[in-house]
Coordinates of all heavy atoms in Angstrom, one line a residue:
D103 N -22.8 1.4 -2.9 CA -23.9 1.0 -2.0 C -24.6 2.2 -1.6 O -24.0 3.3 -1.1 CB -23.3 0.4 -0.7 CG -24.3 0.1 0.4 OD1 -25.2 -0.8 -0.1 OD2 -24.2 0.6 1.4
G104 N -25.9 2.3 -1.7 CA -26.8 3.5 -1.5 C -27.0 4.3 -2.7 O -27.3 5.4 -2.7
S106 N -29.9 4.5 -4.1 CA -31.1 5.1 -4.0 C -31.1 6.5 -3.2 O -32.0 7.1 -3.1 CB -32.2 4.2 -3.4 OG -31.8 3.9 -2.0
P188 N -32.3 0.6 12.4 CA -33.3 -0.5 12.1 C -33.7 -0.5 10.6 O -34.5 0.3 10.2 CB -34.5 -0.2 13.0 CG -34.4 1.2 13.2 CD -33.0 1.8 13.0
A189 N -33.1 -1.2 9.8 CA -33.3 -1.2 8.3 C -34.5 -2.1 8.0 O -34.9 -2.9 8.7 CB -32.1 -1.7 7.5
N190 N -35.0 -1.9 6.7 CA -36.2 -2.7 6.3 C -37.3 -2.6 7.4 O -38.0 -3.7 7.7 CB -35.8 -4.1 6.0 CG -36.7 -4.9 5.2 OD1 -37.5 -4.2 4.3 ND2 -36.8 -6.1 5.2
L191 N -37.6 -1.4 7.8 CA -38.6 -1.3 8.9 C -39.9 -1.8 8.5 O -40.8 -2.1 9.4 CB -38.6 0.2 9.4 CG -39.3 0.4 10.8 CD1 -38.7 -0.5 11.9 CD2 -39.2 1.9 11.2
R192 N -40.2 -1.8 7.1 CA -41.5 -2.2 6.7 C -41.8 -3.7 7.3 O -42.9 -4.2 7.4 CB -41.5 -2.3 5.1 CG -41.7 -1.0 4.6 CD -41.4 -1.0 3.0 NE -40.2 -1.6 2.7 CZ -39.0 -0.9 2.8 NH1 -38.9 0.4 3.0 NH2 -37.8 -1.6 2.5
Y216 N -29.9 6.4 11.6 CA -30.2 5.7 10.4 C -30.2 6.6 9.2 O -31.0 7.5 9.1 CB -31.6 5.0 10.5 CG -31.9 4.1 9.4 CD1 -31.2 2.8 9.4 CD2 -33.0 4.3 8.5 CE1 -31.5 2.0 8.3 CE2 -33.2 3.4 7.4 CZ -32.4 2.2 7.3 OH -32.7 1.3 6.4
G218 N -30.2 5.0 5.8 CA -30.7 4.1 4.7 C -29.7 3.6 3.8 O -29.9 3.1 2.7
G219 N -28.4 3.8 4.2 CA -27.3 3.3 3.4 C -26.6 2.2 4.3 O -26.1 2.6 5.4
F220 N -26.3 1.1 3.8 CA -25.7 0.0 4.6 C -24.4 0.5 5.2 O -23.9 0.4 6.3 CB -25.6 -1.3 3.9 CG -25.1 -2.5 4.6 CD1 -25.4 -2.7 6.0 CD2 -24.5 -3.5 3.8 CE1 -24.9 -3.9 6.6 CE2 -24.1 -4.6 4.6 CZ -24.3 -4.8 5.9
V221 N -23.5 1.1 4.4 CA -22.2 1.4 4.6 C -22.2 2.6 5.6 O -21.5 2.5 6.7 CB -21.3 1.8 3.4 CG1 -20.0 2.5 3.8 CG2 -20.9 0.5 2.5
D223 N -24.4 3.6 7.7 CA -25.0 3.1 8.9 C -24.0 2.2 9.7 O -24.0 2.4 11.0 CB -26.3 2.4 8.7 CG -27.4 3.4 8.3 OD1 -27.4 4.6 8.8 OD2 -28.3 3.0 7.5
F235 N -26.7 -2.6 13.8 CA -27.4 -2.4 12.5 C -28.3 -3.7 12.3 O -27.6 -4.8 12.5 CB -26.5 -2.4 11.3 CG -27.2 -2.3 10.0 CD1 -27.6 -1.3 9.3 CD2 -27.4 -3.5 9.4 CE1 -28.2 -1.3 8.2 CE2 -28.0 -3.6 8.1 CZ -28.4 -2.4 7.5
N237 N -31.2 -5.8 9.7 CA -32.0 -5.8 8.6 C -32.9 -7.1 8.6 O -32.6 -8.1 8.0 CB -31.2 -5.7 7.3 CG -32.1 -5.4 6.1 OD1 -33.2 -5.8 5.9 ND2 -31.4 -4.5 5.2
K246 N -33.2 -8.1 1.3 CA -32.5 -7.4 0.1 C -31.0 -7.6 0.0 O -30.3 -7.6 -1.0 CB -32.9 -5.9 0.2 CG -34.2 -5.5 -0.4 CD -34.1 -4.0 -0.6 CE -33.9 -3.1 0.6 NZ -34.1 -1.7 0.4
L247 N -30.4 -7.6 1.2 CA -29.0 -7.5 1.3 C -28.3 -8.8 0.8 O -28.6 -9.9 1.1 CB -28.5 -7.2 2.7 CG -28.8 -5.7 3.1 CD1 -28.4 -5.5 4.6 CD2 -27.9 -4.7 2.3
R248 N -27.2 -8.6 0.0 CA -26.6 -9.7 -0.7 C -25.5 -10.2 0.2 O -24.7 -9.4 0.6 CB -26.0 -9.4 -2.0 CG -27.1 -9.3 -3.2 CD -27.1 -8.0 -3.9 NE -28.1 -8.0 -4.8 CZ -28.9 -7.0 -5.3 NH1 -28.6 -5.8 -4.7 NH2 -29.7 -7.1 -6.1
E252 N -22.2 -7.7 0.0 CA -22.5 -6.8 1.0 C -22.3 -7.3 2.4 O -21.3 -6.9 3.2 CB -23.9 -6.2 0.9 CG -24.2 -5.6 -0.5 CD -25.6 -5.2 -0.7 OE1 -26.5 -6.0 -0.6 OE2 -25.9 -4.0 -0.8
Ligands
LIG1 O1 -30.4 -2.6 -0.9 C1 -29.5 -2.2 0.1 C2 -29.9 -1.1 0.9 O2 -30.0 0.1 0.2 C3 -28.9 -0.9 1.9 O3 -27.8 -0.1 1.7 C4 -29.7 -0.3 3.2 O4 -29.2 -0.7 4.4 C5 -31.0 -0.9 3.0 O5 -31.1 -1.3 1.6 C6 -32.1 0.1 3.3 O6 -33.2 -0.5 3.2 P1 -34.6 0.2 3.7 O7 -34.7 1.5 3.1 O8 -35.7 -0.7 3.4 O9 -34.4 0.4 5.2

Side-chain angles (χ1 to χ4, degrees):
D103 178 64
S106 67
N190 200 22
L191 196 57
R192 289 171 301 282
Y216 190 67
F220 189 30
V221 166
D223 286 328
F235 172 93
N237 194 320
K246 274 198 301 184
L247 288 172
R248 280 128 184 149
E252 297 172 304

